[in-house]
Amino acid sequence: MLKKKQVQRKNDNYRQKLDPSKPEELVIQKDYSANVSRIEEELGHSADLVIRQINIGIVNGALLFIDGIVDGKGISEFVVETLMDKQISSREVDVFQYVMDQTVALGSIKTITNWNDLYNALLSGCTIILLNGYNKAISGETRGGELRSIAEPTQQLAIRGPKDAFTETLRTNTALIRRRIKSPNLWVESMKIGKVSQTDIALLYIKGIAEEEIIQEVKERLQRIDIDAIMDSGYIEQLIEEQTFTSFPTTYHTERPDVVSSQLLEGRVAIIADGSPFVLTVPALFVQFFQAPDDYYSRFDLSTSVRLLRIISFLIALIGPSLYIAATTFHQEMIPTTLAIAIAAQRENVPFPAFVEALIMEVTFEILREAGLRLPRAVGQAVSIVGALVIGQAAVQASIVSPVMVIVVSITAIANFSTPVFAMAIAARLLRFALMVMAALIGFYGIMVGLMIMAIHLCSLRSFGVPYMAPLAPFSGPNQQDVFIRYPFWAFKDRPKFIVKGNVVRTGENQKPKPPKQSSHKSDKLEENES
């Protein structure tokens, strides 16, 4: 109990140092050496804190930055060299204003008057200049360091379309969206979340398209987050979702800038966390998780056929083993006689019922899939493929499972990979086991009861006030243009009305392709040539 009180007292002391209710503790002193000593003490004399003494004629000062998160070359060229070249001998000159206006050659500089802003700027990659005799500091934007370059997406792959993906740098991610939406109505708002980490968060939306109610709801939920640190956008996803106890994702995350840009144009709001290559967009709908980037870069008829195949694959991944268990356990009369005899002959030496047989194969395959993800890339894929082949063949020869069960589980696993978003694929994997139990208890009736419960649960979900199953439930006829069938682009006249209520017009009139009209002169010339 005493130890807990000591820890709580330390946390209270830490909060008091950054507590705005005590302004006397937040004021920067005029003695720059005292300020430098305080910064060193607050940061624990950290090895990555770089302090350089400077002299501008009659005024002494110090230059501070954190090594590794700043652009060292830019500091040397645009800060250090320019300060060394300037020497002030007159006491009538305001040195602080002179340094800001004519000395520091950085694109963004500002004045800092309290310790909260100073620590935030210093630990965010800015360079701090402290001058003796001034109770304020200069902050220059010098963020940099070793950053991962823009690469291809690793999860949401597309055969046709852009090949760039988000990185862990906040400003790089916002720039990737700015390149696609060159509109002044694309607003970017910033905030910090995390009492210790002080993670930079960016909120993006298109003013005039996104609904104000949704924007305010997103802001309120972000501001309610009270946590020590945000390490990834997944933290935010779990803290702002409306319902925790559900297998289905109610926020959409992607690593593709083109997907985020298209969803912003539909009236959604994007959330970018510094240090995370995945961007969140809300509201998220159930049908949205079956839409792949390829659907919009190919012809509508090809995209529609592939999307329908994707939905069928999801159903197979959801109820494939359950149908086999129900048919072989309760409803043998529904199986053709020849096939039933073949299945019975294969299962003759198998000592387990169909449910246990399916459970063994499903759990084994899930273990192999998880091991393939965690192993090094060079051996992970080989181990998962070879392991599945060897274990499946050995299990059949040992009469633990039947060959038909191996085929059913394999088709189910392959169909599960057809879902474009990994979060929805995981939901199908979890619900598959529940439906297997229902099928083992009462057959097809159990599967139907399980699907009805799932449908009721889906219809009860909301994503930032928007029904999760829209536009299917509640049904909206005009918004069926991008659900099961992807209409041609000239038919996308309106934005989703269940998300956007004001500016719904997306496409102008007369966008449908038409054959070119031949002039009378060309027609006469063609008739002369024919004659």
Side-chain angles (χ1 to χ4, degrees):
M1 188 68 180
L2 180 60
K3 187 176 181 180
K4 289 184 178 180
K5 289 184 178 179
Q6 291 175 351
V7 172
Q8 182 66 31
R9 193 177 298 113
K10 289 182 179 179
N11 292 337
D12 293 340
N13 291 337
Y14 172 77
R15 295 188 183 96
Q16 287 176 2
K17 292 176 183 177
L18 302 179
D19 189 1
S21 62
K22 296 187 177 182
E24 67 276 2
E25 296 184 0
L26 298 179
V27 176
I28 298 175
Q29 300 181 26
K30 292 186 177 182
D31 185 0
Y32 86 98
S33 59
N35 295 329
V36 171
S37 300
R38 176 172 178 173
I39 294 173
E40 287 183 307
E41 183 180 354
E42 293 286 348
L43 298 183
H45 298 273
S46 300
D48 58 350
L49 175 62
V50 179
I51 302 174
R52 172 164 181 163
Q53 302 293 330
I54 58 175
N55 184 284
I56 312 176
I58 59 175
V59 176
N60 296 326
L63 193 74
L64 300 92
F65 58 88
I66 302 296
D67 189 21
I69 63 174
V70 297
D71 182 8
K73 185 178 179 180
I75 294 175
S76 300
E77 293 181 357
F78 304 113
V79 181
V80 177
E81 291 184 4
T82 55
L83 287 174
M84 293 176 64
D85 292 340
K86 303 293 183 179
Q87 296 296 324
I88 302 175
S89 57
S90 176
R91 296 184 179 274
E92 297 179 357
V93 178
D94 187 350
V95 179
F96 189 90
Q97 196 64 35
Y98 179 80
V99 171
M100 285 194 64
D101 296 340
Q102 303 185 31
T103 304
V104 180
L106 295 175
S108 175
I109 58 174
K110 62 181 181 179
T111 302
I112 293 178
T113 58
N114 62 77
W115 286 103
N116 273 335
D117 295 340
L118 189 146
Y119 287 132
N120 288 333
L122 179 64
L123 299 174
S124 298
C126 296
T127 298
I128 304 299
I129 301 176
L130 295 171
L131 298 176
N132 194 34
Y134 295 90
N135 58 348
K136 51 187 176 180
I138 299 174
S139 171
E141 183 66 42
T142 55
R143 301 185 190 187
E146 296 295 330
L147 305 173
R148 185 170 68 92
S149 59
I150 299 174
E152 294 188 13
T154 58
Q155 289 192 6
Q156 296 177 324
L157 303 177
I159 298 175
R160 182 178 180 181
K163 299 299 181 182
D164 54 346
F166 290 119
T167 67
E168 289 77 13
T169 309
L170 178 66
R171 281 295 162 252
T172 302
N173 295 340
T174 56
L176 290 173
I177 299 176
R178 282 285 187 188
R179 291 174 183 173
R180 288 169 168 81
I181 305 178
K182 302 179 179 65
S183 171
N185 293 327
L186 176 60
W187 288 13
V188 180
E189 299 184 14
S190 62
M191 62 181 68
K192 290 184 181 293
I193 300 179
K195 294 180 293 186
V196 179
S197 65
Q198 292 291 303
T199 305
D200 292 317
I201 306 295
L203 194 68
L204 285 79
Y205 58 90
I206 299 180
K207 187 68 173 179
I209 296 180
E211 289 294 320
E212 289 293 333
E213 296 179 358
I214 297 178
I215 297 172
Q216 293 301 324
E217 182 67 23
V218 175
K219 290 181 181 179
E220 290 177 3
R221 296 192 188 186
L222 291 175
Q223 292 170 358
R224 285 200 301 262
I225 296 177
D226 186 14
I227 194 173
D228 283 344
I230 298 292
M231 296 291 103
D232 185 81
S233 60
Y235 284 40
I236 300 175
E237 182 178 0
Q238 299 175 61
L239 293 170
I240 65 174
E241 60 185 357
E242 296 194 26
Q243 188 166 347
T244 302
F245 300 102
T246 178
S247 301
F248 297 96
T250 54
T251 57
Y252 189 89
H253 65 271
T254 179
E255 58 179 344
R256 298 184 62 94
D258 56 329
V259 173
V260 175
S261 301
S262 62
Q263 293 184 8
L264 288 174
L265 292 169
E266 290 182 348
R268 292 182 171 88
V269 179
I271 303 171
I272 305 178
D274 191 23
S276 174
F278 290 93
V279 175
L280 305 178
T281 58
V282 292
L285 307 178
F286 179 76
V287 297
Q288 183 181 348
F289 293 91
F290 298 96
Q291 301 168 354
D294 285 329
D295 294 350
Y296 305 95
Y297 302 136
S298 303
R299 288 180 50 84
F300 76 97
D301 49 354
L302 301 177
S303 302
T304 299
S305 60
V306 175
R307 181 177 295 181
L308 293 175
L309 181 63
R310 205 177 293 134
I311 296 173
I312 294 173
S313 299
F314 177 79
L315 294 176
I316 293 174
L318 187 64
I319 63 175
S322 306
L323 293 176
Y324 174 80
I325 294 171
T328 56
T329 305
F330 295 98
H331 310 282
Q332 295 90 348
E333 70 279 359
M334 299 188 66
I335 307 175
T337 304
T338 306
L339 180 59
I341 294 173
I343 293 175
Q346 293 176 7
R347 299 192 69 255
E348 183 178 1
N349 297 323
V350 177
F352 305 110
F355 170 71
V356 177
E357 186 182 359
L359 189 63
I360 292 173
M361 287 302 299
E362 285 289 345
V363 172
T364 302
F365 190 85
E366 293 296 332
I367 293 174
L368 286 172
R369 177 156 46 186
E370 188 67 18
L373 291 175
R374 306 306 169 195
L375 286 172
R377 186 175 299 179
V379 297
Q381 188 175 4
V383 168
S384 59
I385 294 175
V386 174
L389 293 175
V390 172
I391 293 176
Q393 183 66 24
V396 171
Q397 292 181 354
S399 298
I400 297 176
V401 296
S402 61
V404 178
M405 179 55 70
V406 176
I407 295 174
V408 171
V409 173
S410 301
I411 294 175
T412 302
I414 295 173
N416 190 252
F417 288 119
S418 300
T419 306
V421 182
F422 187 67
M424 185 59 70
I426 294 178
R429 287 160 57 183
L430 294 176
L431 294 173
R432 185 192 309 155
F433 289 96
L435 292 175
M436 286 168 54
V437 174
M438 298 292 289
L441 293 176
I442 49 178
F444 285 154
Y445 300 104
I447 297 177
M448 294 304 299
V449 170
L451 292 178
M452 290 175 62
I453 294 174
M454 187 186 74
I456 294 172
H457 174 68
L458 286 171
C459 293
S460 66
L461 293 178
R462 296 288 187 273
S463 179
F464 288 81
V466 179
Y468 190 60
M469 290 299 293
L472 299 176
F475 183 80
S476 175
N479 290 301
Q480 299 296 318
Q481 56 193 8
D482 196 22
V483 181
F484 298 110
I485 299 175
R486 203 274 281 176
Y487 286 20
F489 275 118
W490 51 265
F492 283 150
K493 296 182 179 180
D494 297 331
R495 297 185 177 89
K497 295 182 180 179
F498 42 85
I499 297 178
V500 179
K501 299 178 182 178
N503 187 4
V504 298
V505 179
R506 186 195 328 222
T507 306
E509 299 293 336
N510 301 323
Q511 298 293 315
K512 184 177 180 180
K514 296 180 180 179
K517 296 181 180 180
Q518 294 182 350
S519 62
S520 58
H521 176 71
K522 290 184 178 180
S523 300
D524 297 339
K525 192 173 182 180
L526 288 174
E527 292 177 358
E528 291 178 1
N529 292 335
E530 290 177 358
S531 61

